[in-house]
Amino acid sequence: MAKLRKMLGSADSPYIVSLMRLIETQSTVTLATWGMDYAKAHILPIYKKDYPNDNRLANAFNAAQDYLDGKIKLHIAKKIIKEVQVAAKEAEASPASQAAARAVGAAAGIIYTPTHSLAVAFYGSAAIAYNEVGINESADTYDQLAANECAKMEAALCEIAAKDEKNPAKINWNC
């Protein structure tokens, strides 16, 4: 078996490039809303299967939303969101849950780093693929699952995307 990949997809994959172009047209608030909504619906349940009593991921979503709503300062939200990194490290026995935690952390972190929206795609695809088929499939199988999931993510962003966004996030892809 090949070494398990923490993320699925690559920055030059057509489905990632398409998602990146759409991300570049949207505001940080729209991206954060999309990332958190998608992760809550499709990725968080993967983590909760293994860790039903761990609230750190939900706390990260709440902190990010509270920041967007002006209820807390960014440094407080960041501190709460960073607890997800600890949860991810502690979930190393379950690759699907570990990837899910990383995706959730990225989704909540969009509020301060809009490029985290791409990490939602990479880690989220891994979480969903490992949850669906386990960790012993071929690279081609994982690549196809990642492509399918990223298409769903892009469709979800299209549904809430602002047409002619006046204040798109300042994106500098370093990949």
Side-chain angles (χ1 to χ4, degrees), residues 13-85:
S13 299
Y15 59 88
I16 291 293
V17 172
S18 179
L19 182 59
M20 290 166 71
R21 296 303 160 250
L22 179 57
I23 288 167
E24 292 168 347
T25 69
Q26 297 304 302
S27 70
T28 300
V29 172
T30 298
L31 294 173
T33 301
W34 159 76
M36 290 190 295
D37 287 351
Y38 198 89
K40 282 179 196 173
H42 303 283
I43 300 167
L44 180 61
I46 295 168
Y47 183 84
K48 292 303 262 183
K49 276 193 327 188
D50 289 332
Y51 304 97
N53 298 318
D54 187 345
N55 294 318
R56 291 176 288 188
L57 279 63
N59 292 343
F61 285 139
N62 292 337
Q65 190 60 56
D66 285 350
Y67 169 74
L68 291 175
D69 293 342
K71 295 178 182 176
I72 63 173
K73 301 279 187 192
L74 183 59
H75 69 64
I76 295 168
K78 279 183 170 183
K79 184 177 179 181
I80 296 167
I81 293 166
K82 291 204 184 277
E83 284 298 309
V84 174
Q85 293 172 353

Side-chain angles (χ1 to χ4, degrees), residues 118-138:
L118 200 54
V120 174
F122 290 138
Y123 288 124
S125 294
I128 290 167
Y130 297 149
N131 184 60
E132 286 182 12
V133 299
I135 60 170
N136 295 312
E137 292 295 325
S138 69

Side-chain angles (χ1 to χ4, degrees), residues 85-120:
Q85 293 172 353
V86 176
K89 287 179 185 174
E90 292 172 358
E92 68 185 351
S94 171
S97 289
Q98 188 171 54
R102 289 180 174 137
V104 166
I110 294 170
I111 63 169
Y112 57 86
T113 306
T115 54
H116 282 359
S117 52
L118 200 54
V120 174

